[in-house]
Amino acid sequence: MKPWQVIAPGALTTVQDRGREGWRHVGVSRAGALDLDAAALANRLLGNDSDAAVLELTLQGPTLKLAQPARIAIVGAAVAATSNGHPLPGQRPLTVPAGELKLGGIREGVRAWLSVAGGFDLPVILGSRSTDLRGGFGGKEGRALRAGDLLPLGKSPPTITAAPQKTAWWIGADDYDCGIAHPLRYVSSGHPAAAALAERAWSVSADANRQGIRLRGQPLPNIPHHNVSEPVAVGCIQLPADGQPIILLADAQTVGGYARLGYVIAADLPRLAQAGPGAVLAFAAVGIDEARRINLQHRHRQARTALAIDRQLARHP
């Protein structure tokens, strides 16, 4: 497959997969897609390995030049996507011809994920093709895409078509929901200010990125803390001295000195990918056993959706 050329890079487009596991002890962040479920579904729709590299789009997607037809899928928030001017729907496999693939503005959220049959064939560094923006490695030279970049593709079956084609089926709202309307559930660390997190309304500040989300609201009590750096991970809710919490995301550091209020449960982490500036968030505390039950239900739901996609692909390859 001939590489794709980046005509316009979009607001922040990066190459991501499931990220790097097993390197946090040496200070390497996980990186990877902010919504691992969406990236895996985008790959599943094409029969890719779930860890194949995808493009993560933020706010405004890129414009790409395709040298030959390709099979793609777009999962996540709604994207104003076109192929040579023809509108493209999301949440399903699509066959697009050579020419211009334009991923425009993103609505009802801030991020979406674009997969291609065979994946994007960028170098594997520390077991992943993901872009680590803080570390400056992985993906396309450790940075967001730029105009003129070439994106090599992995091997895939040849696809020939003269116009966009879409399947008659798609992932429905019951199969994938990226909204943030419901409270984010978290397991408390036992910190004295942790309970108050669920008692107040919060909004996402403009100071939000792949490293973390800063919240704004009535400040939490400023309780003296020992300020000794401790291990942190994705989903950790930190409390700086100003009383405005921070939720760590995929590019987060591996240790931190702020007090830890708790962790957002794994099942709710994907929803944080759509929490753009101004978004209103609420929290609800759950116990360890409840968190495990919810996470197990979430994994079962993912498995059922994957099986349903596989059945459809077997009927309509």
Side-chain angles (χ1 to χ4, degrees):
M1 295 285 289
K2 296 180 180 178
W4 291 3
Q5 182 179 4
V6 178
I7 304 301
L12 178 69
T13 306
T14 58
V15 177
Q16 302 292 347
D17 55 22
R18 293 195 67 82
R20 296 178 176 84
E21 300 293 343
W23 296 99
R24 297 186 68 80
H25 66 291
V26 291
V28 177
S29 302
R30 191 201 77 189
L34 287 184
D35 184 343
L36 295 177
D37 293 349
L41 281 175
N43 278 318
R44 195 90 187 197
L45 287 168
L46 303 178
N48 287 348
D49 182 88
S50 62
D51 197 30
V54 300
L55 294 185
E56 180 174 279
L57 322 179
T58 304
L59 294 175
Q60 176 81 24
T63 300
L64 306 164
K65 182 178 180 181
L66 281 57
Q68 59 197 83
R71 189 83 161 161
I72 67 168
I74 307 166
V75 174
V79 182
T82 61
S83 172
N84 295 331
H86 297 275
L88 297 174
Q91 318 292 94
R92 70 195 75 194
L94 302 165
T95 302
V96 295
E100 181 186 83
L101 175 61
K102 184 174 183 179
L103 292 309
I106 297 176
R107 60 189 186 277
E108 299 174 14
V110 294
R111 290 183 178 89
W113 291 264
L114 170 69
S115 61
V116 60
F120 293 94
D121 191 16
L122 280 299
V124 175
I125 300 176
L126 299 180
S128 172
R129 291 184 168 88
S130 286
T131 308
D132 187 321
L133 292 174
R134 293 177 64 247
F137 66 92
K140 189 66 177 179
E141 301 174 3
R143 55 171 173 76
L145 297 189
R146 297 173 183 167
D149 282 344
L150 295 178
L151 298 174
L153 307 180
K155 295 181 180 179
S156 67
T159 304
I160 300 176
T161 181
Q165 297 179 2
K166 61 183 180 182
T167 61
W169 57 273
W170 59 90
I171 301 174
D174 292 338
D175 302 308
Y176 175 70
D177 178 14
C178 66
I180 56 172
H182 302 293
L184 293 163
R185 292 160 290 191
Y186 70 101
V187 175
S188 171
S189 67
H191 186 280
L197 183 70
E199 299 170 354
R200 305 177 186 187
W202 303 96
S203 63
V204 177
S205 78
D207 190 11
N209 53 34
R210 282 182 46 87
Q211 184 177 356
I213 292 174
R214 288 183 178 269
L215 303 181
R216 290 290 177 264
Q218 181 184 352
L220 293 174
N222 186 359
I223 299 172
H225 182 62
H226 52 66
N227 289 324
V228 175
S229 292
E230 299 173 311
V232 294
V234 178
C236 181
I237 307 169
Q238 294 184 305
L239 181 61
D242 63 2
Q244 307 287 353
I246 300 170
I247 308 175
L248 299 183
L249 300 181
D251 282 1
Q253 70 278 13
T254 58
V255 295
Y258 293 143
R260 297 176 297 180
L261 299 181
Y263 281 82
V264 175
I265 68 172
D268 288 354
L269 283 176
R271 294 162 50 206
L272 287 169
Q274 305 300 345
V280 176
L281 302 182
F283 292 85
V286 297
I288 289 287
D289 290 342
E290 178 70 357
R292 288 171 176 162
R293 183 189 65 80
I294 295 169
N295 290 336
L296 182 60
Q297 289 179 337
H298 180 72
R299 291 197 296 271
H300 286 171
R301 182 184 182 189
Q302 288 179 287
R304 289 194 298 270
T305 300
L307 288 173
I309 290 173
D310 290 348
R311 286 196 294 268
Q312 290 291 352
L313 290 177
R315 294 173 189 165
H316 311 286

